[in-house]
Amino acid sequence: MSDPTPTTTVDKYAWSAIARALPSKRAAGERVGDFDEIYASYDEAAVRAQASRCIQCPHPLCMQGCPLSNRIPEWLALAAQGQFLEAAAISRSTSNMPEICSRVCPQEKLCEGACILNARTQPVAIGAVERFINDYAFAHHAVEITQAPPNGFRVAIVGSGPGGISCADELAQRGYDVTVFESLLIPGGLLVNGIPGFKLEKDIVARRIDLLAKRGVKFQLGVKVGWDVTCAHLRREFDAVFLGVGAQRAKPLDVPGSELTGVVDSIPFLIQKNVVSPLVDLPPVDVVGKRVAVLGGGDTAMDCLRTALRSGAREAVCLYRRDLANMPGSKKEYANAIEEGATFEFLTNPISLVGNAQGAVTEVRCVRMELGAADASGRRKPRPVPGSEFTVPTDVVLVAYGFDPVPFPPGSDLAMLATDEWGALKVDANQMTSEAGIFAGGDASRGASLVVHAVRDARKAAEGIDRYLHVAKSTQPAS
Ligand SMILES: Cc1cc2nc3c(=O)[nH]c(=O)nc-3n(C[C@H](O)[C@H](O)[C@H](O)COP(=O)(O)OP(=O)(O)OC[C@H]3O[C@@H](n4cnc5c(N)ncnc54)[C@H](O)[C@@H]3O)c2cc1C
Ligand code: SF4
């Protein structure tokens, strides 16, 4: 790391003297031995030096790159001057979980990707500074837990992922009486039951949930809305409902042999390896000494590779149909996976799985792909290269092809809500669904996406609920 001399005033040219430096990472050989986070924290001098690289541009592109429009230059300036608590307070004013987003956001595609310094050198290490100041605030007991005076309205939140808990937090801070209904026994959604501990330790999520409980939010765990209770019931008990039910229906592996033993969906595998709790009751997936093939190229695929290696796999290979440049997974996590021993077969598409006499998978038959013209999304469409079939020997196949929303049971009052062709709930500009008083956000309304997008939708939904209920109240005839 370059000389981390602290600055006391904003030096617009600090970036030319101080190189970007992320906090140090544990050695790959050490970190594959556990599920703890891989990055250390900055020390105070280093965070001040890194924050001082911000040139305080008048129209900050980083804020446009951040889905929450976080007030990044303001907290960078304060952090550069060592005012970490003040910086964290500003960071909390636009985000309900900055200590989490800073750990899991793909910054290279968001705030840091937009930083103006990219034109000359490397961007400000925005995510790492955001993480430091918020961890600092927690360590100094400087995160408010006060309860707002009640405003008389009750809201039901369905789902306790980042969408659900951000909406609950926003509303509780405005005086709403909020109850979160969660179908699982461990709250947190994919923050716990998806994203592995080496990216986001479970304690950090538990601390956020605990903070919500201290702010007065109630949790009803093990209740599956649409199955165990109807929406009509919630409408009777509550003034509004927010659906943050995510999109956790795995896209199927549609090739011959997908029913063989040893072919496993990504989320049950990640939960089984990452969540150590008597509340998790899933069949064990043994990868010790085995060859693991991961199908897909997103964040989930990177997490499966790294989890397999931590769980004792002999090798973990990713089979992905496009090339590295067109892979959706974060490049930071790709680099981390490579360091930890994962290998990648790009431009490779599975066409069938082959098994032994016992019905266990033994190999993946693949075909090489080439990239054709760009499709509607702007990404180049892969097509098979004739005669290029080859085989990848394997003992376990982890399927990470992405997710769609889980449909509500046919006939339930929630199945009546309007959805798009993928099953995502349709919402208006206030995040309200086709049913007045029922709002939605996060993966449930936009399809599988990012934590920070769920937080953004939830904040918008909370504003929408606030407006909706206060308009409803002001138009009620006086009794
Ligand atoms: C393996 C993996 C890794 C990822 N890594 C990253 C990453 O590094 N960075 C990033 O930004 N994003 C990442 N994502 C995406 C991110 O986790 C999601 O976009 C985000 O969690 C969506 O939040 P949500 O609140 O909409 O839904 P979820 O987090 O899915 O939460 C939905 C919750 O609703 C509950 N629920 C569902 N139906 C009901 C019901 N009927 N009644 C009651 N409760 C219900 C579920 O049990 C769940 O707890 C990853 C996703 C996966 C799968
Ligand atoms: S929330 Fe994500 S995109 Fe926004 S500043 Fe933090 S790390 Fe960057």
Side-chain angles (χ1 to χ4, degrees):
M1 192 183 285
S2 61
D3 176 22
T5 311
T7 53
T8 48
T9 54
V10 173
D11 171 3
K12 287 207 163 220
Y13 298 95
W15 62 269
S16 60
I18 301 170
R20 170 184 161 105
L22 291 176
S24 61
K25 270 191 278 190
R26 292 193 289 138
E30 177 196 325
R31 63 190 199 233
V32 292
D34 60 50
F35 282 82
D36 298 341
E37 285 188 8
I38 69 168
Y39 290 98
S41 193
Y42 287 131
D43 61 26
E44 292 190 15
V47 76
R48 291 182 65 177
Q50 290 300 315
S52 75
R53 295 183 71 244
C54 173
I55 64 169
Q56 297 290 317
C57 33
H59 302 291
L61 298 177
C62 55
M63 287 180 69
Q64 292 172 31
C66 171
L68 297 173
S69 303
N70 276 347
R71 293 157 59 186
I72 299 166
E74 288 176 67
W75 45 256
L76 285 174
L78 287 164
Q81 292 169 48
Q83 292 177 258
F84 304 130
L85 295 182
E86 292 81 354
I90 291 187
S91 149
R92 288 197 301 279
S93 71
T94 53
S95 175
N96 301 83
M97 47 182 72
E99 77 287 7
I100 292 176
C101 288
S102 57
R103 286 171 160 83
V104 301
C105 273
Q107 283 99 6
E108 82 268 14
K109 294 180 190 159
L110 302 171
C111 52
E112 293 180 13
C115 173
I116 200 163
L117 286 187
N118 282 299
R120 301 289 295 269
T121 175
Q122 289 193 293
V124 177
I126 297 169
V129 175
E130 185 184 28
R131 178 183 160 192
F132 175 93
I133 55 177
N134 286 288
D135 287 354
Y136 186 94
F138 273 110
H140 289 77
H141 308 288
V143 181
E144 316 81 10
I145 51 166
T146 48
Q147 289 194 17
N151 69 4
F153 288 114
R154 304 187 71 212
V155 179
I157 306 283
V158 185
S160 66
I165 57 180
S166 297
C167 191
D169 191 28
E170 277 300 294
L171 292 171
Q173 291 186 50
R174 294 166 197 232
Y176 285 84
D177 180 346
V178 181
T179 304
V180 177
F181 294 86
E182 166 58 54
S183 58
L184 300 180
L185 297 173
I186 305 177
L190 289 174
L191 298 176
V192 173
N193 293 308
I195 301 177
F198 48 81
K199 279 166 48 181
L200 173 64
E201 285 178 9
K202 310 293 170 196
D203 289 358
I204 289 167
V205 185
R207 180 177 65 188
R208 188 41 74 179
I209 303 271
D210 188 46
L211 188 63
L212 255 68
K214 288 183 175 138
R215 285 181 179 153
V217 174
K218 295 175 276 259
F219 286 85
Q220 290 208 15
L221 304 178
V223 180
K224 196 167 183 183
V225 174
W227 283 259
D228 302 334
V229 296
T230 61
C231 189
H233 170 78
L234 295 185
R235 298 302 302 274
R236 278 193 299 277
E237 300 289 318
F238 297 89
D239 300 295
V241 177
F242 173 79
L243 299 173
V245 292
Q248 296 194 22
R249 180 167 55 137
K251 287 189 194 287
L253 168 61
D254 201 8
V255 300
S258 57
E259 72 294 344
L260 289 166
T261 310
V263 182
V264 183
D265 276 336
S266 56
I267 289 196
F269 171 73
L270 290 172
I271 296 179
Q272 208 251 312
K273 298 296 176 204
N274 270 284
V275 187
V276 183
S277 165
L279 300 175
V280 173
D281 183 20
L282 289 168
V285 184
D286 179 17
V287 296
V288 176
K290 295 189 175 170
R291 298 162 302 184
V292 175
V294 176
L295 313 185
D299 282 326
T300 307
M302 304 303 122
D303 292 343
C304 284
L305 291 163
R306 300 173 68 196
T307 296
L309 291 165
R310 280 165 174 75
S311 306
R314 170 152 52 106
E315 58 189 56
V317 58
C318 179
L319 308 179
Y320 177 55
R321 64 193 179 131
R322 290 187 165 94
D323 59 4
L324 174 58
N326 288 283
M327 188 175 77
S330 147
K331 298 294 178 288
K332 182 172 80 175
E333 301 308 344
Y334 163 74
N336 286 332
I338 293 270
E339 284 172 16
E340 291 167 10
T343 55
F344 286 75
E345 287 279 356
F346 290 111
L347 295 167
T348 295
N349 204 28
I351 46 177
S352 66
L353 304 182
V354 181
N356 59 19
Q358 288 73 44
V361 68
T362 55
E363 54 190 49
V364 188
R365 295 274 303 142
C366 301
V367 64
R368 288 282 178 215
M369 307 294 280
E370 60 187 3
L371 295 180
D375 64 13
S377 72
R379 287 203 305 166
R380 293 175 65 196
K381 213 171 155 52
R383 57 178 179 231
V385 177
S388 65
E389 289 80 5
F390 67 106
T391 293
V392 177
T394 193
D395 307 303
V396 175
V397 173
L398 300 175
V399 185
Y401 276 163
F403 305 93
D404 288 321
V406 179
F408 290 106
S412 94
D413 49 3
L414 283 164
M416 312 301 168
L417 298 176
T419 56
D420 69 11
E421 59 184 309
W422 309 108
L425 293 165
K426 286 189 178 169
V427 291
D428 66 12
N430 294 309
Q431 299 291 134
M432 190 153 81
T433 65
S434 53
E435 183 70 30
I438 304 184
F439 294 74
D443 286 4
S445 65
R446 56 167 76 227
S449 184
L450 293 175
V451 169
V452 68
H453 286 143
V455 177
R456 176 198 159 127
D457 290 352
R459 293 174 67 86
K460 243 170 90 186
E463 269 176 33
I465 290 171
D466 198 43
R467 259 194 307 273
Y468 170 79
L469 289 180
H470 283 93
V471 168
K473 190 178 170 188
S474 66
T475 53
Q476 258 172 18
S479 53

